[in-house]
Every structure is written in C-alpha cells, then in structure tokens.
Amino acid sequence: MANLDSVLSGLSGDQASINTEVEILQSLGLIGKVVDKLKLTEDPEFNPRLRAEPRFSAGQAIAWVKGLIQPAPPQAPAPSPAEIRDATVDNVLAALSISNVRQSYVFRITAKTTSARKSALLANTVAELYILDQLEVKFDATQQATSWLTDRVAELQTCLLYTSDAADDLLCVD
C-alpha cells in the first residue's frame, strides 16, 4: 500500500484512467453480475435458446429433405449452464453502448432492447453494480492498508517496549 489517498480518491482524470473505467464497465465480470442479478438467462431476448421456433421454416424443410436422402449427423450436446450464461453475457454486451462524455468524468451507458423499461433497467443496473464494485475494491484496499498499519504499529510497539540498547532500536525499523 503506497498511498492511502489514492485508494480513497476518485479518478485521476487522465484519459487512460477514464478509458480503463469504460473497459471495466464493459468487462465480462461486471456484465456477468448484471446477467445474474436481472436473471437474463431466462429472457428470450438475451438467451436465443428460449425463443419459440417457427412451426416450419425453409431451413427446416431443407434439413428434412436432406434427412431423407442421407442420415442426419449426430446432434451436438446441449449447452452447459456456463455456456448459456456466456452467450447471454455476449448478447447483453451487444445491446450495450458505454462511452465517456468528452472532457468530463461522466459515463454514458445506453442499452437497446425491445422495451424502453428493460433498456433503462439494464443501463441502471450496469451503473449500480459498477459503483458497488468500485466501493468494494476501495473498501478491500483500505481494509488491507489498515490491517498492515495495525500489524506494523504492534511490531514497533513491541520493539520499543523490549529494546534496551540503542543499537537494537535500529533493528526494529525497516
């Protein structure tokens, strides 16, 4: 922990820091949390496996005719829950647009879905979980710094109490 102030402060303001935050807003980890919170794997808009198939499409007709002529290839195994979640995360990312408003610390989060209400909920959840994630990161860093400082004070206090020789005092200081 080099500087406690850097943990407690916000963005440094340089373009690289702002771009980094935009990337964090678009990260698979954060969007995965959004998918989980909003249960988007259960939403046909983001999980195409839940969409109703048309009764009889041209592709199905061609496949049926081919099936009469040659044996069908073995079917692929059903996707795992992790694969479904990953595909849903990708679809959510495709629906999102995240950018920085020029010369500001403001991030614009836009979601395009089939419903204005769902779009607002998606964009607001991304922002909410981003803020919570940033608070958790800063809290963890602060906790680690506090723990280190507490341990170091205890070490120095012990050293001060049990040192009788000036040369020994030098051994207690890093």
Side-chain angles (χ1 to χ4, degrees), residues 127-148:
E128 173 190 331
L129 292 179
Y130 167 77
I131 291 168
L132 286 174
D133 188 56
Q134 293 301 302
L135 289 173
E136 285 176 12
V137 166
K138 289 180 180 183
F139 178 76
D140 289 345
T142 303
Q143 231 179 356
Q144 287 177 358
T146 302
S147 177
W148 180 85

Side-chain angles (χ1 to χ4, degrees), residues 63-76:
W64 182 76
V65 171
K66 283 184 178 179
L68 292 175
I69 299 170
Q70 62 189 19
Q75 290 209 353

